[in-house]
Protein backbone atom coordinates (compact mmCIF):
# COMPACT_ATOMS: atom_id res chain seq x y z
CA UNK A 1 0.00 0.00 0.00
CA UNK A 2 1.63 3.27 -1.09
CA UNK A 3 0.57 6.69 0.07
CA UNK A 4 -1.37 8.96 -2.28
CA UNK A 5 -1.36 12.68 -1.53
CA UNK A 6 -5.14 12.88 -1.63
CA UNK A 7 -5.65 9.60 0.21
CA UNK A 8 -7.20 9.06 3.60
CA UNK A 9 -5.94 5.83 5.21
CA UNK A 10 -8.75 4.13 7.13
CA UNK A 11 -9.06 0.98 9.20
CA UNK A 12 -12.33 -0.85 9.83
CA UNK A 13 -12.45 -3.08 12.89
CA UNK A 14 -14.81 -6.03 12.38
CA UNK A 15 -15.45 -7.57 15.79
CA UNK A 16 -17.96 -9.49 17.92
CA UNK A 17 -19.47 -8.36 21.21
CA UNK A 18 -20.19 -10.61 24.19
CA UNK A 19 -22.53 -10.43 27.20
CA UNK A 20 -19.74 -8.84 29.27
CA UNK A 21 -19.52 -5.05 28.79
CA UNK A 22 -16.05 -4.76 30.32
CA UNK A 23 -14.72 -7.51 28.11
CA UNK A 24 -16.30 -5.85 25.07
CA UNK A 25 -14.47 -2.61 25.85
CA UNK A 26 -11.13 -4.33 26.42
CA UNK A 27 -11.43 -6.39 23.24
CA UNK A 28 -12.47 -3.40 21.16
CA UNK A 29 -9.56 -1.40 22.58
CA UNK A 30 -7.11 -4.18 21.71
CA UNK A 31 -8.45 -4.35 18.14
CA UNK A 32 -8.28 -0.57 17.75
CA UNK A 33 -4.68 -0.55 19.02
CA UNK A 34 -3.83 -3.25 16.54
CA UNK A 35 -5.51 -1.26 13.75
CA UNK A 36 -3.31 1.74 14.52
CA UNK A 37 -0.04 -0.06 15.06
CA UNK A 38 -0.12 -2.91 12.57
CA UNK A 39 -1.05 -0.93 9.47
CA UNK A 40 0.58 -2.28 6.31
CA UNK A 41 3.60 -0.51 4.82
CA UNK A 42 3.76 1.93 7.65
CA UNK A 43 0.71 3.88 6.48
CA UNK A 44 -1.01 4.67 9.75
CA UNK A 45 -4.76 5.09 9.51
CA UNK A 46 -6.13 8.58 10.12
CA UNK A 47 -9.67 7.30 10.66
CA UNK A 48 -10.74 4.16 12.52
CA UNK A 49 -14.20 2.64 12.40
CA UNK A 50 -16.19 0.22 14.56
CA UNK A 51 -19.36 -1.69 13.61
CA UNK A 52 -22.99 -1.28 14.68
CA UNK A 53 -23.64 -2.09 18.37
CA UNK A 54 -20.07 -3.09 19.16
CA UNK A 55 -20.45 -2.86 22.94
CA UNK A 56 -23.40 -5.26 23.31
CA UNK A 57 -25.08 -8.31 21.84
CA UNK A 58 -27.27 -7.31 18.90
CA UNK A 59 -30.62 -8.33 20.39
CA UNK A 60 -33.75 -6.29 21.09
CA UNK A 61 -33.92 -7.54 24.70
CA UNK A 62 -30.32 -6.50 25.46
CA UNK A 63 -30.12 -2.94 24.09
CA UNK A 64 -31.52 -1.19 27.19
CA UNK A 65 -29.23 -3.05 29.60
CA UNK A 66 -26.14 -2.04 27.62
CA UNK A 67 -27.25 1.53 26.86
CA UNK A 68 -24.98 4.40 27.90
CA UNK A 69 -25.59 8.15 28.02
CA UNK A 70 -24.06 10.13 25.15
CA UNK A 71 -23.65 13.91 25.45
CA UNK A 72 -24.10 16.45 22.68
CA UNK A 73 -21.36 17.22 20.13
CA UNK A 74 -18.55 19.31 21.55
CA UNK A 75 -18.16 17.21 24.68
CA UNK A 76 -14.79 15.77 25.72
CA UNK A 77 -15.71 12.09 25.80
CA UNK A 78 -12.63 11.04 27.71
CA UNK A 79 -14.37 12.45 30.79
CA UNK A 80 -17.44 10.19 30.40
CA UNK A 81 -20.34 9.69 30.83
CA UNK A 82 -20.17 6.70 28.44
CA UNK A 83 -17.57 4.11 29.49
CA UNK A 84 -17.44 2.66 25.98
CA UNK A 85 -16.95 6.01 24.29
CA UNK A 86 -14.50 7.18 26.96
CA UNK A 87 -12.30 4.22 26.04
CA UNK A 88 -12.52 5.15 22.34
CA UNK A 89 -11.92 8.85 23.00
CA UNK A 90 -8.86 8.14 25.12
CA UNK A 91 -7.47 5.92 22.41
CA UNK A 92 -8.23 8.57 19.78
CA UNK A 93 -6.33 11.17 21.80
CA UNK A 94 -3.46 8.82 22.61
CA UNK A 95 -2.86 8.04 18.95
CA UNK A 96 -4.10 11.27 17.39
CA UNK A 97 -6.59 9.43 15.22
CA UNK A 98 -10.29 10.12 14.57
CA UNK A 99 -12.78 7.29 15.12
CA UNK A 100 -16.23 6.54 13.76
CA UNK A 101 -17.19 4.70 16.93
CA UNK A 102 -19.74 2.45 15.22
CA UNK A 103 -22.94 2.56 17.21
CA UNK A 104 -23.89 1.73 20.76
CA UNK A 105 -27.30 1.70 22.47
CA UNK A 106 -27.85 5.21 23.86
CA UNK A 107 -29.76 6.02 27.05
CA UNK A 108 -32.11 8.79 26.02
CA UNK A 109 -34.73 10.81 27.90
CA UNK A 110 -37.88 9.25 29.31
CA UNK A 111 -36.51 5.73 29.25
CA UNK A 112 -35.92 5.78 25.50
CA UNK A 113 -33.07 3.82 23.92
CA UNK A 114 -31.51 4.80 20.59
CA UNK A 115 -29.09 3.05 18.25
CA UNK A 116 -26.50 5.82 18.02
CA UNK A 117 -23.36 6.25 15.97
CA UNK A 118 -20.69 8.73 16.99
CA UNK A 119 -17.81 10.47 15.32
CA UNK A 120 -14.91 11.28 17.65
CA UNK A 121 -12.02 13.51 16.69
CA UNK A 122 -8.30 12.93 17.23
CA UNK A 123 -8.47 14.77 20.57
CA UNK A 124 -11.31 12.69 21.97
CA UNK A 125 -14.04 15.26 21.33
CA UNK A 126 -17.47 14.22 20.09
CA UNK A 127 -18.00 15.78 16.65
CA UNK A 128 -21.34 14.30 15.64
CA UNK A 129 -23.86 11.70 16.65
CA UNK A 130 -26.44 9.92 14.54
CA UNK A 131 -29.44 8.11 15.95
CA UNK A 132 -30.53 5.42 13.48
CA UNK A 133 -33.56 6.84 11.70
CA UNK A 134 -34.83 3.66 10.01
CA UNK A 135 -35.33 0.90 12.56
CA UNK A 136 -34.68 -2.63 11.37
CA UNK A 137 -38.14 -4.22 11.42
CA UNK A 138 -38.22 -7.09 8.96
CA UNK A 139 -39.70 -10.57 8.71
CA UNK A 140 -38.28 -12.66 5.91
CA UNK A 141 -40.05 -16.06 5.91
CA UNK A 142 -37.50 -18.82 6.44
CA UNK A 143 -34.86 -16.19 7.18
CA UNK A 144 -34.48 -13.37 9.66
CA UNK A 145 -37.19 -11.84 11.85
CA UNK A 146 -36.13 -8.80 13.86
CA UNK A 147 -37.99 -5.83 15.34
CA UNK A 148 -35.71 -3.08 16.60
CA UNK A 149 -38.78 -0.97 17.29
CA UNK A 150 -39.71 -3.35 20.13
CA UNK A 151 -37.03 -1.69 22.24
CA UNK A 152 -35.52 1.20 20.28
CA UNK A 153 -36.71 4.68 19.36
CA UNK A 154 -35.76 6.10 15.96
CA UNK A 155 -33.75 9.29 15.61
CA UNK A 156 -35.15 12.30 13.86
CA UNK A 157 -32.36 13.85 11.86
CA UNK A 158 -29.88 13.34 9.10
CA UNK A 159 -26.25 13.59 10.26
CA UNK A 160 -23.35 14.99 8.27
CA UNK A 161 -19.99 16.45 9.21
CA UNK A 162 -18.46 19.16 7.06
CA UNK A 163 -14.78 18.75 6.32
CA UNK A 164 -14.21 22.52 6.55
CA UNK A 165 -11.46 23.25 9.07
CA UNK A 166 -10.38 19.60 8.97
CA UNK A 167 -12.21 18.55 12.15
CA UNK A 168 -11.00 14.95 11.74
CA UNK A 169 -7.36 16.03 11.68
CA UNK A 170 -6.71 14.38 8.33
CA UNK A 171 -4.13 16.95 7.15
CA UNK A 172 -5.68 16.64 3.69
CA UNK A 173 -6.07 19.71 1.49
CA UNK A 174 -9.70 18.77 0.92
CA UNK A 175 -10.92 16.84 3.95
CA UNK A 176 -14.05 14.79 3.28
CA UNK A 177 -17.59 15.82 4.07
CA UNK A 178 -18.87 12.77 5.86
CA UNK A 179 -22.40 11.37 6.10
CA UNK A 180 -23.31 8.98 8.92
CA UNK A 181 -25.89 6.23 8.43
CA UNK A 182 -26.52 3.06 10.39
CA UNK A 183 -27.18 -0.26 8.67
CA UNK A 184 -30.86 -0.29 7.58
CA UNK A 185 -30.66 3.47 6.85
CA UNK A 186 -28.62 2.59 3.76
CA UNK A 187 -31.62 0.92 2.10
CA UNK A 188 -33.35 4.29 1.71
CA UNK A 189 -31.70 6.05 -1.23
CA UNK A 190 -33.22 9.40 -0.36
CA UNK A 191 -31.02 9.77 2.73
CA UNK A 192 -27.74 9.14 0.91
CA UNK A 193 -28.85 11.28 -2.05
CA UNK A 194 -29.59 14.23 0.24
CA UNK A 195 -26.19 13.78 1.89
CA UNK A 196 -24.59 14.18 -1.53
CA UNK A 197 -26.89 16.68 -3.21
CA UNK A 198 -27.62 19.01 -0.29
CA UNK A 199 -24.66 18.50 2.01
CA UNK A 200 -21.80 17.83 -0.39
CA UNK A 201 -20.77 14.54 1.17
CA UNK A 202 -17.88 12.67 -0.40
CA UNK A 203 -17.73 9.77 2.10
CA UNK A 204 -20.68 7.85 3.54
CA UNK A 205 -19.93 5.85 6.69
CA UNK A 206 -22.24 3.01 7.60
CA UNK A 207 -21.64 0.89 10.70
CA UNK A 208 -23.83 -2.14 10.13
CA UNK A 209 -24.86 -5.66 11.02
CA UNK A 210 -26.49 -7.37 8.07
CA UNK A 211 -27.13 -11.06 8.68
CA UNK A 212 -26.88 -14.37 6.89
CA UNK A 213 -30.30 -13.85 5.27
CA UNK A 214 -30.00 -10.27 4.03
CA UNK A 215 -26.20 -10.23 3.72
CA UNK A 216 -25.73 -12.64 0.83
CA UNK A 217 -28.67 -11.08 -1.01
CA UNK A 218 -28.13 -7.38 -0.44
CA UNK A 219 -24.98 -6.34 1.45
CA UNK A 220 -22.60 -5.73 -1.46
CA UNK A 221 -25.49 -4.58 -3.62
CA UNK A 222 -26.79 -1.76 -1.41
CA UNK A 223 -23.35 -0.51 -0.41
CA UNK A 224 -22.19 -0.41 -4.03
CA UNK A 225 -25.53 1.06 -5.13
CA UNK A 226 -25.27 3.99 -2.73
CA UNK A 227 -21.68 4.54 -3.87
CA UNK A 228 -22.65 4.94 -7.52
CA UNK A 229 -25.91 6.76 -6.77
CA UNK A 230 -23.94 9.42 -4.91
CA UNK A 231 -20.44 8.94 -6.35
CA UNK A 232 -19.14 8.86 -2.78
CA UNK A 233 -16.85 6.44 -1.02
CA UNK A 234 -18.89 4.09 1.14
CA UNK A 235 -17.19 2.59 4.18
CA UNK A 236 -19.31 -0.11 5.79
CA UNK A 237 -18.01 -1.74 8.97
CA UNK A 238 -19.88 -4.89 9.99
CA UNK A 239 -19.82 -6.86 13.21
CA UNK A 240 -18.17 -10.27 12.89
CA UNK A 241 -19.96 -13.62 12.67
CA UNK A 242 -20.19 -15.14 16.18
CA UNK A 243 -18.54 -18.50 16.66
CA UNK A 244 -21.47 -19.88 18.64
CA UNK A 245 -25.04 -18.65 19.05
CA UNK A 246 -26.15 -15.06 18.72
CA UNK A 247 -27.15 -12.73 15.91
CA UNK A 248 -25.63 -14.17 12.73
CA UNK A 249 -23.78 -11.11 11.42
CA UNK A 250 -22.79 -11.32 7.79
CA UNK A 251 -19.39 -9.70 8.23
CA UNK A 252 -17.73 -8.74 4.92
CA UNK A 253 -16.93 -5.15 5.94
CA UNK A 254 -16.48 -3.17 2.74
CA UNK A 255 -14.80 -0.14 1.30
CA UNK A 256 -16.40 0.94 -1.99
CA UNK A 257 -15.04 3.69 -4.24
CA UNK A 258 -17.13 6.34 -6.05
CA UNK A 259 -17.16 4.17 -9.19
CA UNK A 260 -18.94 1.42 -7.24
CA UNK A 261 -15.89 -0.84 -7.07
CA UNK A 262 -15.06 -2.75 -3.89
CA UNK A 263 -11.50 -1.77 -3.00
CA UNK A 264 -11.30 -3.70 0.28
CA UNK A 265 -13.39 -6.46 1.82
CA UNK A 266 -13.20 -8.44 5.05
CA UNK A 267 -14.14 -12.06 5.63
CA UNK A 268 -16.63 -13.20 8.25
CA UNK A 269 -14.53 -13.33 11.42
CA UNK A 270 -12.86 -10.71 13.58
CA UNK A 271 -10.23 -8.70 11.72
CA UNK A 272 -8.97 -5.25 10.79
CA UNK A 273 -9.58 -4.06 7.22
CA UNK A 274 -7.20 -1.39 5.95
CA UNK A 275 -7.80 0.78 2.90
CA UNK A 276 -6.90 4.14 1.48
CA UNK A 277 -9.64 6.44 0.22
CA UNK A 278 -8.14 8.37 -2.69
CA UNK A 279 -10.56 11.26 -2.45
CA UNK A 280 -9.52 12.64 -5.85
CA UNK A 281 -11.56 9.77 -7.31
CA UNK A 282 -14.75 11.48 -6.19
CA UNK A 283 -14.17 14.43 -8.51
CA UNK A 284 -13.00 12.19 -11.35
CA UNK A 285 -16.08 9.95 -11.14
CA UNK A 286 -18.40 12.96 -10.97
CA UNK A 287 -16.72 14.55 -13.97
CA UNK A 288 -16.83 11.36 -16.05
CA UNK A 289 -20.46 10.45 -15.34
CA UNK A 290 -21.95 13.75 -14.18
CA UNK A 291 -25.25 12.49 -12.78
CA UNK A 292 -25.08 15.08 -10.00
CA UNK A 293 -25.42 17.85 -12.60
CA UNK A 294 -27.92 16.02 -14.79
CA UNK A 295 -30.79 15.70 -12.34
CA UNK A 296 -34.21 16.66 -13.66
CA UNK A 297 -35.56 18.85 -10.90
CA UNK A 298 -38.48 19.71 -13.18
CA UNK A 299 -39.55 16.05 -12.92
CA UNK A 300 -38.62 15.13 -9.35
CA UNK A 301 -37.55 17.02 -6.29
CA UNK A 302 -35.89 15.57 -3.26
CA UNK A 303 -35.83 17.85 -0.24
CA UNK A 304 -35.59 18.05 3.50
CA UNK A 305 -38.84 19.36 4.95
CA UNK A 306 -38.68 22.73 6.61
CA UNK A 307 -39.36 22.35 10.29
CA UNK A 308 -38.30 23.16 13.80
CA UNK A 309 -34.67 22.54 14.60
CA UNK B 1 -40.13 -23.54 -17.07
CA UNK B 2 -43.51 -24.25 -15.49
CA UNK B 3 -46.42 -21.85 -15.41
CA UNK B 4 -47.28 -20.00 -12.21
CA UNK B 5 -50.78 -18.55 -11.87
CA UNK B 6 -49.48 -15.10 -11.01
CA UNK B 7 -46.67 -15.22 -13.57
CA UNK B 8 -46.22 -13.05 -16.60
CA UNK B 9 -44.12 -14.79 -19.26
CA UNK B 10 -41.85 -12.29 -21.01
CA UNK B 11 -39.28 -12.48 -23.77
CA UNK B 12 -36.48 -9.97 -24.27
CA UNK B 13 -35.01 -9.74 -27.75
CA UNK B 14 -31.33 -8.75 -27.66
CA UNK B 15 -30.34 -7.72 -31.18
CA UNK B 16 -28.05 -5.51 -33.24
CA UNK B 17 -29.09 -2.85 -35.74
CA UNK B 18 -27.36 -2.11 -39.04
CA UNK B 19 -27.17 0.90 -41.37
CA UNK B 20 -30.10 -0.51 -43.40
CA UNK B 21 -33.50 0.42 -41.94
CA UNK B 22 -35.40 -2.18 -43.95
CA UNK B 23 -33.01 -4.91 -42.88
CA UNK B 24 -33.32 -3.79 -39.27
CA UNK B 25 -37.12 -4.15 -39.44
CA UNK B 26 -36.96 -7.57 -41.09
CA UNK B 27 -34.40 -8.88 -38.62
CA UNK B 28 -36.29 -7.53 -35.63
CA UNK B 29 -39.49 -9.08 -36.93
CA UNK B 30 -37.78 -12.45 -37.35
CA UNK B 31 -36.42 -12.29 -33.80
CA UNK B 32 -39.82 -11.30 -32.39
CA UNK B 33 -41.49 -14.19 -34.28
CA UNK B 34 -38.92 -16.55 -32.86
CA UNK B 35 -39.51 -15.16 -29.36
CA UNK B 36 -43.23 -15.93 -29.66
CA UNK B 37 -42.99 -19.33 -31.30
CA UNK B 38 -39.91 -20.90 -29.73
CA UNK B 39 -40.74 -20.25 -26.09
CA UNK B 40 -39.56 -23.04 -23.79
CA UNK B 41 -42.04 -25.61 -22.44
CA UNK B 42 -44.86 -24.16 -24.46
CA UNK B 43 -45.19 -21.08 -22.24
CA UNK B 44 -45.84 -18.37 -24.78
CA UNK B 45 -44.72 -14.90 -23.73
CA UNK B 46 -47.44 -12.33 -23.09
CA UNK B 47 -45.02 -9.43 -23.27
CA UNK B 48 -42.12 -8.98 -25.69
CA UNK B 49 -39.38 -6.41 -25.35
CA UNK B 50 -36.83 -4.83 -27.67
CA UNK B 51 -33.68 -2.86 -26.73
CA UNK B 52 -32.84 0.83 -26.95
CA UNK B 53 -32.57 2.19 -30.52
CA UNK B 54 -33.21 -1.14 -32.23
CA UNK B 55 -33.98 0.34 -35.63
CA UNK B 56 -30.75 2.30 -36.10
CA UNK B 57 -27.07 2.39 -35.25
CA UNK B 58 -26.55 3.88 -31.79
CA UNK B 59 -24.61 6.97 -32.85
CA UNK B 60 -25.35 10.65 -32.36
CA UNK B 61 -24.86 11.40 -36.06
CA UNK B 62 -27.34 8.72 -37.16
CA UNK B 63 -30.35 9.34 -34.91
CA UNK B 64 -31.98 12.04 -37.07
CA UNK B 65 -31.66 10.04 -40.29
CA UNK B 66 -33.40 7.04 -38.72
CA UNK B 67 -36.03 9.01 -36.79
CA UNK B 68 -39.70 8.22 -37.41
CA UNK B 69 -42.86 10.05 -36.34
CA UNK B 70 -44.69 8.52 -33.38
CA UNK B 71 -48.32 9.49 -32.71
CA UNK B 72 -49.89 9.97 -29.30
CA UNK B 73 -51.18 7.05 -27.18
CA UNK B 74 -54.45 5.61 -28.47
CA UNK B 75 -53.29 5.43 -32.07
CA UNK B 76 -53.50 2.21 -34.09
CA UNK B 77 -49.84 1.85 -35.01
CA UNK B 78 -50.46 -0.75 -37.70
CA UNK B 79 -51.62 2.17 -39.88
CA UNK B 80 -48.31 4.06 -39.56
CA UNK B 81 -46.83 6.62 -39.54
CA UNK B 82 -43.74 4.82 -38.16
CA UNK B 83 -42.62 1.92 -40.38
CA UNK B 84 -40.72 0.32 -37.51
CA UNK B 85 -43.59 0.53 -35.06
CA UNK B 86 -46.12 -0.54 -37.74
CA UNK B 87 -44.14 -3.76 -38.10
CA UNK B 88 -44.20 -4.30 -34.32
CA UNK B 89 -47.88 -3.42 -34.02
CA UNK B 90 -48.85 -5.83 -36.79
CA UNK B 91 -46.88 -8.59 -35.12
CA UNK B 92 -48.45 -7.74 -31.75
CA UNK B 93 -51.94 -8.03 -33.29
CA UNK B 94 -51.09 -11.17 -35.26
CA UNK B 95 -49.91 -12.99 -32.14
CA UNK B 96 -52.06 -11.25 -29.54
CA UNK B 97 -49.01 -10.20 -27.53
CA UNK B 98 -48.06 -6.84 -26.04
CA UNK B 99 -44.64 -5.37 -26.88
CA UNK B 100 -42.35 -2.91 -25.16
CA UNK B 101 -40.93 -1.75 -28.46
CA UNK B 102 -37.59 -0.69 -27.00
CA UNK B 103 -36.81 2.78 -28.23
CA UNK B 104 -36.37 4.37 -31.64
CA UNK B 105 -35.34 7.89 -32.59
CA UNK B 106 -38.54 9.93 -32.83
CA UNK B 107 -39.12 12.82 -35.24
CA UNK B 108 -40.51 15.58 -33.05
CA UNK B 109 -41.65 19.12 -33.77
CA UNK B 110 -39.27 21.84 -34.94
CA UNK B 111 -36.64 19.42 -36.12
CA UNK B 112 -36.21 17.86 -32.70
CA UNK B 113 -35.25 14.20 -32.29
CA UNK B 114 -36.11 12.18 -29.17
CA UNK B 115 -35.03 8.76 -27.93
CA UNK B 116 -38.50 7.30 -27.42
CA UNK B 117 -39.73 4.03 -25.96
CA UNK B 118 -43.20 2.75 -26.73
CA UNK B 119 -45.58 0.25 -25.22
CA UNK B 120 -47.87 -1.42 -27.74
CA UNK B 121 -50.84 -3.56 -26.77
CA UNK B 122 -51.88 -6.95 -28.14
CA UNK B 123 -54.10 -5.25 -30.72
CA UNK B 124 -51.38 -2.98 -32.10
CA UNK B 125 -52.51 0.15 -30.25
CA UNK B 126 -49.99 2.54 -28.73
CA UNK B 127 -50.52 2.57 -24.95
CA UNK B 128 -47.69 4.81 -23.78
CA UNK B 129 -44.56 6.49 -24.98
CA UNK B 130 -41.54 7.63 -23.01
CA UNK B 131 -39.02 10.11 -24.27
CA UNK B 132 -35.69 9.51 -22.49
CA UNK B 133 -35.44 12.21 -19.84
CA UNK B 134 -31.77 11.83 -18.93
CA UNK B 135 -29.58 12.08 -21.99
CA UNK B 136 -26.42 10.00 -22.01
CA UNK B 137 -23.65 12.59 -21.84
CA UNK B 138 -20.57 11.02 -20.32
CA UNK B 139 -16.81 11.12 -20.78
CA UNK B 140 -14.94 8.36 -19.01
CA UNK B 141 -11.19 8.84 -19.64
CA UNK B 142 -9.81 5.78 -21.40
CA UNK B 143 -13.35 4.47 -21.83
CA UNK B 144 -16.51 5.77 -23.45
CA UNK B 145 -17.23 9.34 -24.56
CA UNK B 146 -20.77 9.94 -25.78
CA UNK B 147 -23.00 13.01 -26.00
CA UNK B 148 -26.62 12.23 -26.85
CA UNK B 149 -27.45 15.89 -26.31
CA UNK B 150 -25.49 16.72 -29.48
CA UNK B 151 -28.43 15.47 -31.51
CA UNK B 152 -31.25 14.52 -29.14
CA UNK B 153 -33.74 16.48 -27.07
CA UNK B 154 -34.73 15.14 -23.63
CA UNK B 155 -38.33 14.29 -22.81
CA UNK B 156 -40.16 16.06 -20.05
CA UNK B 157 -42.26 13.51 -18.25
CA UNK B 158 -42.24 10.33 -16.26
CA UNK B 159 -44.11 7.48 -17.98
CA UNK B 160 -46.14 4.78 -16.26
CA UNK B 161 -48.93 2.50 -17.40
CA UNK B 162 -51.56 1.41 -14.90
CA UNK B 163 -52.51 -2.25 -15.01
CA UNK B 164 -56.16 -1.43 -14.26
CA UNK B 165 -58.37 -2.96 -16.95
CA UNK B 166 -55.49 -5.16 -18.10
CA UNK B 167 -54.42 -2.97 -21.03
CA UNK B 168 -51.60 -5.38 -21.91
CA UNK B 169 -53.99 -8.32 -22.21
CA UNK B 170 -52.10 -10.38 -19.66
CA UNK B 171 -55.20 -12.19 -18.32
CA UNK B 172 -53.66 -11.86 -14.85
CA UNK B 173 -55.86 -11.10 -11.86
CA UNK B 174 -53.48 -8.31 -10.89
CA UNK B 175 -51.83 -7.01 -14.04
CA UNK B 176 -48.64 -5.06 -13.40
CA UNK B 177 -48.34 -1.31 -13.19
CA UNK B 178 -45.43 -0.67 -15.47
CA UNK B 179 -42.84 2.10 -15.43
CA UNK B 180 -40.86 2.92 -18.57
CA UNK B 181 -37.29 4.19 -18.40
CA UNK B 182 -34.55 4.26 -21.02
CA UNK B 183 -30.97 3.27 -20.19
CA UNK B 184 -29.30 6.25 -18.48
CA UNK B 185 -32.64 7.13 -16.78
CA UNK B 186 -32.05 4.14 -14.51
CA UNK B 187 -29.05 5.81 -12.86
CA UNK B 188 -31.32 8.38 -11.21
CA UNK B 189 -33.00 6.63 -8.26
CA UNK B 190 -35.59 9.38 -7.85
CA UNK B 191 -37.38 8.38 -11.07
CA UNK B 192 -37.75 4.71 -10.15
CA UNK B 193 -38.68 5.60 -6.56
CA UNK B 194 -41.49 7.88 -7.75
CA UNK B 195 -42.73 5.14 -10.05
CA UNK B 196 -43.08 2.87 -7.04
CA UNK B 197 -44.09 5.30 -4.32
CA UNK B 198 -46.46 7.55 -6.25
CA UNK B 199 -47.60 5.37 -9.14
CA UNK B 200 -47.67 1.89 -7.62
CA UNK B 201 -45.39 0.32 -10.21
CA UNK B 202 -44.53 -3.35 -9.81
CA UNK B 203 -42.46 -3.74 -12.99
CA UNK B 204 -39.83 -1.33 -14.33
CA UNK B 205 -38.95 -1.79 -17.99
CA UNK B 206 -35.65 -0.39 -19.21
CA UNK B 207 -34.56 -0.77 -22.82
CA UNK B 208 -30.88 0.04 -22.73
CA UNK B 209 -27.49 0.04 -24.36
CA UNK B 210 -24.73 0.12 -21.77
CA UNK B 211 -21.28 -0.37 -23.25
CA UNK B 212 -18.05 -2.20 -22.57
CA UNK B 213 -16.87 0.61 -20.24
CA UNK B 214 -19.98 1.17 -18.13
CA UNK B 215 -21.44 -2.31 -18.53
CA UNK B 216 -18.90 -4.36 -16.57
CA UNK B 217 -18.80 -1.70 -13.87
CA UNK B 218 -22.45 -0.81 -13.46
CA UNK B 219 -24.98 -2.77 -15.54
CA UNK B 220 -25.92 -5.52 -13.08
CA UNK B 221 -25.42 -3.15 -10.18
CA UNK B 222 -27.86 -0.43 -11.22
CA UNK B 223 -30.52 -2.81 -12.46
CA UNK B 224 -30.40 -4.84 -9.24
CA UNK B 225 -30.19 -1.65 -7.16
CA UNK B 226 -33.39 -0.24 -8.66
CA UNK B 227 -35.08 -3.61 -8.11
CA UNK B 228 -34.37 -3.63 -4.37
CA UNK B 229 -34.85 0.13 -3.95
CA UNK B 230 -38.39 -0.24 -5.32
CA UNK B 231 -39.05 -3.96 -4.78
CA UNK B 232 -40.16 -4.13 -8.39
CA UNK B 233 -39.22 -6.53 -11.15
CA UNK B 234 -36.71 -4.86 -13.47
CA UNK B 235 -36.59 -6.03 -17.07
CA UNK B 236 -33.64 -4.57 -18.93
CA UNK B 237 -33.29 -5.39 -22.63
CA UNK B 238 -29.91 -4.48 -24.13
CA UNK B 239 -28.79 -4.28 -27.71
CA UNK B 240 -26.29 -6.99 -28.69
CA UNK B 241 -22.53 -6.55 -29.10
CA UNK B 242 -21.75 -5.86 -32.77
CA UNK B 243 -19.45 -8.32 -34.47
CA UNK B 244 -17.46 -5.57 -36.17
CA UNK B 245 -17.24 -1.83 -35.54
CA UNK B 246 -19.97 0.28 -34.03
CA UNK B 247 -21.15 1.13 -30.53
CA UNK B 248 -19.84 -1.60 -28.22
CA UNK B 249 -23.06 -2.62 -26.49
CA UNK B 250 -22.57 -4.61 -23.32
CA UNK B 251 -25.46 -7.01 -23.91
CA UNK B 252 -26.33 -9.12 -20.84
CA UNK B 253 -30.07 -8.35 -20.95
CA UNK B 254 -31.43 -9.00 -17.47
CA UNK B 255 -34.54 -9.91 -15.59
CA UNK B 256 -34.26 -9.04 -11.88
CA UNK B 257 -36.83 -9.97 -9.25
CA UNK B 258 -38.05 -7.72 -6.39
CA UNK B 259 -35.48 -9.31 -4.06
CA UNK B 260 -32.69 -8.07 -6.33
CA UNK B 261 -31.89 -11.52 -7.70
CA UNK B 262 -31.08 -11.99 -11.39
CA UNK B 263 -33.55 -14.62 -12.64
CA UNK B 264 -32.49 -14.53 -16.29
CA UNK B 265 -29.49 -13.13 -18.11
CA UNK B 266 -28.40 -13.06 -21.73
CA UNK B 267 -24.88 -13.24 -23.13
CA UNK B 268 -23.37 -10.65 -25.43
CA UNK B 269 -24.68 -11.70 -28.85
CA UNK B 270 -28.11 -11.73 -30.49
CA UNK B 271 -30.58 -13.93 -28.65
CA UNK B 272 -34.00 -14.20 -27.05
CA UNK B 273 -34.16 -14.25 -23.25
CA UNK B 274 -37.25 -15.88 -21.75
CA UNK B 275 -38.40 -15.44 -18.15
CA UNK B 276 -41.51 -15.56 -16.04
CA UNK B 277 -42.26 -12.67 -13.69
CA UNK B 278 -44.04 -14.20 -10.71
CA UNK B 279 -45.75 -11.00 -9.67
CA UNK B 280 -46.75 -12.43 -6.28
CA UNK B 281 -43.09 -11.96 -5.32
CA UNK B 282 -43.60 -8.20 -5.29
CA UNK B 283 -46.03 -8.40 -2.40
CA UNK B 284 -43.93 -10.98 -0.57
CA UNK B 285 -40.77 -8.90 -0.82
CA UNK B 286 -42.58 -5.76 0.31
CA UNK B 287 -44.11 -7.59 3.27
CA UNK B 288 -40.80 -9.13 4.34
CA UNK B 289 -38.68 -5.96 4.11
CA UNK B 290 -41.30 -3.20 4.23
CA UNK B 291 -39.14 -0.26 3.17
CA UNK B 292 -42.07 1.22 1.26
CA UNK B 293 -43.94 1.72 4.54
CA UNK B 294 -40.89 2.75 6.56
CA UNK B 295 -39.95 5.91 4.72
CA UNK B 296 -39.20 8.94 6.88
CA UNK B 297 -41.19 11.67 5.16
CA UNK B 298 -40.38 13.93 8.10
CA UNK B 299 -36.70 13.75 7.04
CA UNK B 300 -36.93 13.63 3.25
CA UNK B 301 -39.63 14.15 0.70
CA UNK B 302 -39.54 13.02 -2.88
CA UNK B 303 -42.19 14.57 -5.07
CA UNK B 304 -43.16 15.49 -8.58
CA UNK B 305 -43.34 19.25 -8.96
CA UNK B 306 -46.74 20.71 -9.61
CA UNK B 307 -46.75 22.37 -12.99
CA UNK B 308 -48.43 22.79 -16.32
CA UNK B 309 -49.33 19.55 -18.10
Amino acid sequence: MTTVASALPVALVQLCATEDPGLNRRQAEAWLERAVLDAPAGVRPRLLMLPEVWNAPYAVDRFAAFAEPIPEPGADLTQGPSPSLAMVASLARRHGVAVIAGSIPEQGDAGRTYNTATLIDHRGVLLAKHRKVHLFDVDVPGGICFRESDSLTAGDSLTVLSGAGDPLGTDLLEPPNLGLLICYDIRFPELALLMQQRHGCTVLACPAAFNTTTGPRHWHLVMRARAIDTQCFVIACSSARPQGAGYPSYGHSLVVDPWGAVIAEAGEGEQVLHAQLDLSQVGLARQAIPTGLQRRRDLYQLREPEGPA
Side-chain angles (χ1 to χ4, degrees), chain A residues 216-272:
Chain A
R217 290 177 174 180
H218 295 157
W219 170 256
H220 296 79
L221 179 56
V222 292
M223 297 304 168
R224 295 183 62 212
R226 293 301 89 85
I228 64 157
D229 289 349
T230 62
Q231 299 176 307
C232 286
F233 279 93
V234 172
I235 50 178
C237 185
S238 174
S239 42
R241 184 86 47 85
Q243 301 221 308
Y247 180 84
S249 272
Y250 183 56
H252 291 276
S253 293
L254 285 181
V255 178
V256 187
D257 77 11
W259 301 90
V262 173
I263 59 172
E265 176 171 354
E268 295 169 351
E270 297 192 308
Q271 73 171 93
V272 177

Side-chain angles (χ1 to χ4, degrees), chain A residues 102-158:
Chain A
S103 77
I104 66 172
E106 177 191 3
Q107 273 174 18
D109 294 335
R112 293 193 186 93
T113 308
Y114 300 93
N115 185 342
T116 302
T118 53
L119 185 48
I120 302 171
D121 79 2
H122 53 300
R123 301 161 305 173
V125 173
L126 179 62
L127 291 178
K129 70 176 185 180
H130 174 66
R131 293 169 165 173
K132 191 175 191 175
V133 294
H134 300 93
L135 296 181
F136 180 52
D137 288 355
V138 308
D139 183 4
V140 182
I144 190 90
C145 181
F146 206 92
R147 280 187 57 83
E148 278 193 328
S149 64
D150 282 349
S151 59
L152 293 180
T153 300
D156 58 8
S157 59
L158 173 156

